[in-house]
DNA sequence: TGATTGTATGTATACGTAGTCATTTTCGTC
DNA sequence: GACGAAAATGACTACGTATACATACAATCA
């Protein structure tokens, strides 16, 4: 009847393992063990402790646990704030980490110059691992992070391979397949639309595409959109439209293939071209790279290289949290390269 | 010349404020102050401490800091793993929190039954605040979290309003505008495509739309897609196609408007309809809700209600981290409702 | 029965910092 | 030059937990 007879108190003040110990008539150590290594506690006391904890509304303090155990169960990720691709990567990381009882601490930046201070913040939290997913990270920042004891993995950041652990889609292979595909269609001249030429991803993809195209005797010009966004692609598409159907340029030199460095960018280019009356794939064929869900949507059905994001992420997580007993303490950085898969779509099909 | 004369040592072992204190010839307290409240330290010692820290590769330990100060500088977010909408919300939260020197700890779930255990994990970290962004959270889970001392805010979760602090777009207003818009176009019969009828968002949006439509003398049937995804929308679009152009149904009862509960879903419906030869907006007009970037893309140009996500997020963050001195310790939960804006697109334009 | 092993629990300490209080130094002022 | 206030610093402790070590107790075996 009395109001204070509530069976479950909510923690009005901070309830600690000491309080629970007193309530259960055991030592603090036993309470700690009950929650962190239950198998070391007898069935009977475990029950008593749980009851007492329930009674008092006790929840173990992860901060204190981390301080003592030197493990946070948290993995950090430094990722660009914008872009469909990065959003799906973050989502997949979070999902995967949850599966392995870890959480994701997100450090997202919109400007490259934020990365520096962000990395400093990262180091304050003693994370169990860190994903670096930005092409904007400088080499010396990378190596300075590598010197930390924090497990690191660079995600889709070609320039980082060899310096730190890295996981990446096979850009060379992917772009080669694209080039072959385009050559098979009988194209004679191509334009490569890049996002930011300063990023290693951009350089590597253009390099691979143009090399393979050249092997087929196809020239390939580079155009920089300025970002990997839809908007940047749209603008570029509008600019390109003139070159592609304009009567000014020589028919024989007129590009008949547009190879775009990323899907979001590609979707913008498609729409930009269409807005100027350029028909895809009628006037030009067009390809993307990444395999975003949106690229597969019926409205676009873009020909692209599908990155196996779940696989890439799984690899990255495995590097950070080696599950196997074979904990790799090798001095060499791990380097995993995973192939993507060409998904032909309407943008290259007559 | 000696190898140990390196100007910046990297932390091979854990360097603490005590080590720095010894190196700089000051007390540990002074080192702590140098990093957490520099203004309490003289210019000269500050410099000495910084030099020593640099020398030893010292980085303050945020875990220990949090344990002592009872503040983590981390805000948590419990969010559905999938869906374009949630991805943009998470991105915006992260951006906003970074601006205010906080980090985002992400708890994303793909199944509703994961939420329970996730909330328990949340409580272990003594977060500075928590965003609850899932319609799948049960009422008693909500109130049990509310009993915690952790600041809470429910994001776009109509059912939570009044129980805990909440921020939401104005679903009623938005759907009313949609209904008016559709009525203006002269539509006579509508179909509402919902995602999951179990979610309060779905119920509220359907309720508002059908009420307002009825006011215009327009009937509105409810169809459940089963999810808020593109795929679910696509399937529903395919199913609907028969009703919309089939010769079986009476011409006068044939729906001429499809009102969809969310943009991603709507884009799927559009493509599903198109795949069966239904012309949008020729045969039916169609509207979405959310204002996703993709909905504005030229390929779709969906008529929709644009949620001011930056504003919604800013409100939510302000509730969790009251910047003003007027820290609201009112006992009543805060409830903010922010209007969206109708963006007419090609899907309702002849 | 006594020696031995293993399991369950208690005691005590350390994780690295922030903040309280006391003490020292600095500095402006009459 | 003395005095008081303010600034700067130091000594100490607490935050809440995990774990090494010691201890108690039950179970096994010769």
């Amino acid at each position: 009847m009395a109001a204070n007879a509530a069976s479950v108190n909510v923690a009005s003040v901070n309830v600690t393992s000491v309080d629970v110990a007193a309530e259960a008539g055991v030592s603090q150590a036993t309470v700690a063990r009950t929650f962190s290594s239950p198998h070391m506690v007898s069935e009977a006391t475990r029950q008593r402790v749980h009851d007492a904890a329930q009674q008092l509304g006790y929840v173990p303090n992860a901060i204190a646990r981390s301080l003592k155990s030197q493990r946070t169960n948290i993995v950090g990720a430094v990722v660009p704030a914008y872009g469909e691709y990065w959003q799906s990567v973050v989502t997949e990381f979070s999902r995967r980490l949850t599966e392995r009882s870890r959480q994701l601490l997100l450090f997202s930046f919109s400007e490259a110059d934020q990365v520096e201070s962000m990395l400093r913040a990262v180091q304050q939290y003693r994370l169990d691992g860190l994903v670096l997913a930005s092409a904007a990270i400088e080499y010396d920042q990378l190596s300075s992070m590598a010197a930390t004891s924090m497990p690191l993995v660079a995600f889709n950041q070609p320039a980082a391979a060899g310096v730190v652990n890295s996981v990446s889609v096979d850009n060379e292979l992917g772009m080669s397949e694209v080039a072959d595909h385009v050559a098979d269609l009988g194209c004679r001249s191509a334009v490569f639309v890049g996002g930011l030429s300063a990023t290693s991803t951009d350089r590597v993809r253009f390099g691979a595409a143009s090399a393979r195209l050249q092997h087929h005797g196809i020239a390939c010009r580079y155009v920089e959109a300025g970002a990997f966004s839809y908007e940047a692609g749209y603008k570029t598409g509008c600019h390109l439209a003139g070159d592609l159907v304009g009567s000014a340029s020589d028919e024989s030199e007129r590009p008949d293939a547009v190879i775009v460095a990323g899907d979001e960018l590609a979707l913008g280019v498609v729409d930009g071209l269409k807005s100027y009356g350029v028909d895809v794939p009628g006037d030009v064929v067009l390809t993307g790279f990444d395999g975003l869900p949106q690229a597969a949507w019926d409205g676009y059905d873009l020909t692209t290289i599908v990155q196996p994001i779940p696989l890439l992420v799984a690899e990255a997580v495995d590097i950070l949290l080696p599950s196997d007993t074979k904990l790799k303490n090798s001095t060499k950085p791990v380097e995993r390269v995973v192939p993507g898969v060409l998904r032909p779509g309407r943008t290259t099909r007559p």
Side-chain angles (χ1 to χ4, degrees), chain A:
Chain A
M1 297 278 182
N4 56 10
S7 66
V8 177
N9 273 339
V10 278
S12 53
V13 292
N14 285 344
V15 180
T16 75
S17 56
V18 177
D19 303 327
V20 176
E23 174 78 19
V26 297
S27 73
Q28 178 270 332
T30 298
V31 175
R33 278 190 282 256
T34 304
F35 285 93
S36 65
S37 29
H39 58 98
M40 303 188 79
V41 170
S42 77
E43 173 60 31
T45 31
R46 201 185 314 161
Q47 192 56 51
R48 275 224 314 290
V49 170
H50 273 137
D51 288 351
Q54 182 92 359
Q55 195 83 4
L56 302 176
Y58 168 73
V59 176
N61 185 323
I63 305 293
R65 185 210 302 280
S66 296
L67 180 59
K68 182 63 182 143
S69 67
Q70 307 285 49
R71 304 183 49 247
T72 55
N73 282 351
I74 294 179
V75 170
V78 178
V79 185
Y82 298 109
E84 301 291 334
Y85 174 74
W86 292 119
Q87 291 189 354
S88 18
V89 169
V90 166
T91 298
E92 184 62 21
F93 263 108
S94 176
R95 222 185 50 72
R96 200 84 191 187
L97 287 170
T98 300
E99 265 181 27
R100 303 193 51 172
S101 310
R102 309 293 151 84
Q103 307 306 332
L104 181 65
L105 188 61
L106 198 53
F107 297 81
S108 71
F109 62 95
S110 37
E111 306 296 333
D113 56 9
Q114 298 176 9
V115 173
E116 173 94 35
S117 74
M118 204 153 263
L119 288 182
R120 225 169 312 143
V122 164
Q123 295 186 76
Q124 309 209 162
Y125 299 91
R126 305 304 208 245
L127 304 174
D128 289 354
L130 181 67
V131 180
L132 291 172
S134 162
I137 299 180
E138 311 278 347
Y139 177 86
D140 49 351
Q141 291 175 345
L142 261 186
S143 50
S144 119
M145 289 302 294
T148 311
S149 61
M150 189 171 3
L152 272 190
V153 61
F155 190 90
N156 257 350
Q157 205 179 339
V163 182
V164 299
N165 298 327
S166 65
V167 171
S168 175
V169 71
D170 194 332
N171 291 299
E172 284 83 0
L173 178 63
M175 273 306 180
S176 294
E177 289 184 32
V178 166
D180 291 347
H181 182 63
V182 162
D184 283 350
L185 297 173
C187 295
R188 308 301 312 156
S189 172
V191 177
F192 183 96
V193 178
L196 278 166
S197 60
T199 63
S200 58
T201 297
D202 212 65
R203 286 197 301 270
V204 168
R205 289 185 187 170
F206 173 61
S210 66
R212 188 69 180 180
L213 284 172
Q214 188 163 15
H215 175 261
H216 287 292
I218 305 176
C220 184
R221 182 158 59 94
Y222 178 90
V223 173
E224 182 175 21
F228 285 94
S229 67
Y230 175 90
E231 287 74 21
Y234 193 91
K235 278 184 199 147
T236 309
C238 294
H239 289 322
L240 277 180
D243 301 356
L244 297 181
V245 297
S247 51
S249 63
D250 183 3
E251 167 84 23
S252 66
E253 292 182 2
R254 192 180 292 170
D256 47 13
V258 179
I259 296 176
V260 189
D263 274 359
E264 187 180 343
L265 192 59
L267 298 178
V269 174
V270 167
D271 284 342
L273 288 173
K274 280 190 181 161
S275 75
Y276 272 74
V278 178
D279 183 47
V280 177
D283 295 324
V284 283
V285 301
L286 188 146
T287 63
F289 199 109
D290 286 343
L292 294 185
Q294 295 91 332
W297 287 356
D298 251 33
Y300 290 101
D301 193 16
L302 184 71
T303 296
T304 188
I305 298 291
V306 180
Q307 292 194 38
I309 294 186
L311 185 55
L312 286 163
V313 168
E315 293 278 359
V317 170
D318 279 344
I319 290 176
L320 293 181
L321 316 170
S323 51
D324 332 335
T325 47
K326 51 159 183 172
L327 51 140
K328 336 193 164 194
N329 50 359
S330 82
T331 169
K332 294 283 180 198
V334 179
E335 182 178 350
R336 289 283 294 138
V337 177
V338 180
V341 144
L342 180 76
R343 178 163 53 66
R346 208 194 310 134
T347 60
T348 56
R349 196 166 37 210

